[in-house]
Amino acid sequence: MSKNKVSLTDQNFNGKTVLITGHTGFKGAWLTAWLKQLGAKVVGIALDPPTEPSHFTEAHLAEDMVDLRIDICNQLDLEEAILAAQPDFVFHLAAQALVRRSYEDPLETWQTNVLGTLHVLEALRKLDKLCAAVIITSDKCYDNVEWVWGYRETDAMGSPDPYSASKGAAELVIRSHIKSYFPKASSKVRIASARAGNVIGGGDWAADRIVPDCVKAWSTDNLVELRNPHSTRPWQHVLEPLSGYISLAIALSQKPELHGEPFNFGPQAQQNHSVLELVQQMALHWEKVRWQDVSSSVAGPYESGLLKLNCDKSLHYLQWHAAMGFEDTVRMTAEWYRAYYQQPAHIAPTTNAQITAYTAIAKKRGLAWAQ
């Protein structure tokens, strides 16, 4: 990027107050690092990092930001913090994000994903200033019948498992609140929802996810067990949907007609690969890898086998599309973990370098936000 040209992201976020819920989580940590790099004044609201280790802790992301420990289910504390921050942008990512955990604790899942989202919306009702708020749900919000084409933003909500159903319900809450309390013609707060999923990338150590399972096992020379090796997913690097959320926030702040609209963010349709293909690609960038198919011997709760998103709306209105292919996505992921396991105390430069590298790729491929 030339010294004389400032990118759209720099123009929109430099010096602005950006509030992120769930900033200590996987996506939240990357978004925090990115927005700090863009010069934003970041205010984070979250519980403690959900894993040990965590990207947020290892990359020292609490420095140079307001780092608040608030449960989004605590309405009064959440509202007080949001109103005190007076944000220009809000990214709501805080959630119970694990399908298998939702079976174990459906009450926590519904409280966090539905009531927590409602609490954020209620706080935004009292914010008397211009603000663009992106509420992130999930690709699993759709009623997944495992058809071969991608789900559009107008398709039905709600799959069977508690996690997916809670995300579908959150979308209904968002739509209801926008229509009831944030009139399109006059609302100072503009809101849109964003749907993405199956992200991979460095810094994810959550339970029951294939990439963390692999790196944790391989870093100690152990075998990884594949529960669903033939399930396919539209794998994308974590920076891809984050660039979508950023693009949406910028557009929302400039175009009132986007207020109340949902948007999908995912890779190209052909980038649907099985769990086994993902592991095989990871193995190209890691030494001493072993895995075993245990799908016939391990019983588990229902998880969808096929899920795609149609992202034409994001392309049309935001000029957004994924920037990286499957091979680069996996390579960048593996390189982050290799750097971490070699020098865990020095991972922050790797994170920042990958954000810079991804931005360069997006600029080269003509994405509007990177120009």
Side-chain angles (χ1 to χ4, degrees):
M1 189 176 297
S2 71
K3 293 182 179 179
N4 297 322
K5 185 172 182 180
V6 180
S7 72
L8 290 177
T9 46
D10 287 321
Q11 292 175 23
N12 283 275
F13 294 108
N14 187 31
K16 297 297 178 67
T17 299
V18 183
L19 187 142
I20 306 172
T21 72
H23 67 291
T24 60
F26 173 39
K27 280 186 181 178
W30 277 99
L31 184 59
T32 298
W34 197 342
L35 289 169
K36 287 169 66 176
Q37 200 177 95
L38 294 171
K41 301 174 183 176
V42 178
V43 178
I45 293 175
L47 300 177
D48 290 335
T51 62
E52 175 58 45
S54 80
H55 186 188
F56 183 81
T57 301
E58 300 296 330
H60 310 291
L61 292 173
E63 298 174 1
D64 302 318
M65 66 168 291
V66 178
D67 177 23
L68 302 176
R69 292 290 180 268
I70 297 173
D71 188 338
I72 61 169
C73 291
N74 186 326
Q75 182 182 2
L76 294 178
D77 287 353
L78 177 68
E79 182 177 295
E80 182 181 352
I82 291 176
L83 295 181
Q86 291 289 295
D88 300 296
F89 295 93
V90 171
F91 294 92
H92 172 46
L93 290 87
Q96 194 300 95
L98 302 176
V99 173
R100 292 172 73 89
R101 181 170 165 181
S102 77
Y103 281 100
E104 298 166 1
D105 197 340
L107 182 60
E108 177 207 25
T109 300
W110 281 84
Q111 286 177 332
T112 304
N113 295 350
V114 182
L115 287 179
T117 298
L118 179 58
H119 292 162
V120 171
L121 292 167
E122 280 290 277
L124 291 175
R125 282 181 65 189
K126 299 181 180 180
L127 188 65
D128 187 24
K129 64 163 296 183
L130 294 174
C131 178
V134 178
I135 313 295
I136 289 86
T137 60
S138 170
D139 61 345
K140 293 182 177 63
C141 69
Y142 293 105
D143 182 13
N144 185 10
V145 294
E146 303 202 14
W147 55 35
V148 295
W149 50 85
Y151 290 89
R152 298 175 297 177
E153 288 84 351
T154 53
D155 285 325
M157 297 285 101
S159 266
D161 63 90
Y163 170 76
S164 302
S166 74
K167 287 297 188 177
E171 285 282 355
L172 297 180
V173 168
I174 295 165
R175 185 174 69 180
S176 169
H177 246 58
I178 290 172
K179 289 186 176 294
S180 299
Y181 303 111
F182 299 89
K184 200 155 194 168
S186 60
S187 179
K188 291 183 179 179
V189 177
R190 299 174 188 167
I191 302 170
S193 68
R195 304 163 182 174
N198 297 108
V199 296
I200 61 175
D204 184 10
W205 280 282
D208 299 320
R209 284 182 176 158
I210 183 58
V211 170
D213 285 351
C214 285
V215 297
K216 283 186 284 189
W218 296 345
S219 64
T220 54
D221 196 23
N222 285 316
L223 176 147
V224 66
E225 296 183 341
L226 306 184
R227 295 185 307 273
N228 301 293
H230 303 297
S231 290
T232 62
R233 294 287 185 272
W235 310 103
Q236 59 181 329
H237 193 274
V238 62
L239 293 175
E240 300 273 36
L242 293 185
S243 75
Y245 306 161
I246 286 172
S247 298
L248 178 54
I250 293 171
L252 194 60
S253 69
Q254 299 170 350
K255 301 176 181 179
E257 64 271 21
L258 297 184
H259 174 50
E261 293 293 325
F263 286 86
N264 289 338
F265 298 100
Q268 296 180 356
Q270 64 268 29
Q271 198 162 308
N272 234 42
H273 294 270
S274 69
V275 169
L276 179 59
E277 289 174 313
L278 173 62
V279 172
Q280 290 171 333
Q281 191 69 32
M282 282 279 291
L284 299 178
H285 306 282
W286 207 282
E287 296 180 357
K288 299 180 180 179
V289 300
R290 294 182 295 146
W291 63 82
Q292 180 180 5
D293 181 349
V294 296
S295 55
S296 61
S297 59
V298 176
Y302 166 81
E303 292 190 57
S304 60
L306 176 65
L307 179 60
K308 294 183 181 180
L309 295 180
N310 180 309
C311 300
D312 290 347
K313 185 176 179 180
S314 293
L315 178 62
H316 179 77
Y317 287 102
L318 309 176
Q319 292 77 57
W320 181 92
H321 58 81
M324 296 197 301
F326 181 63
E327 290 78 11
D328 284 339
T329 294
V330 177
R331 174 190 54 76
M332 188 176 286
T333 300
E335 287 176 353
W336 192 99
Y337 283 109
R338 285 173 55 194
Y340 172 78
Y341 283 110
Q342 289 168 4
Q343 287 187 301
H346 301 285
I347 197 59
T350 300
T351 293
N352 289 324
Q354 290 201 341
I355 293 170
T356 300
Y358 174 77
T359 302
I361 292 170
K363 180 178 173 63
K364 184 177 181 180
R365 297 193 178 177
L367 270 73
W369 62 265
Q371 304 310 307

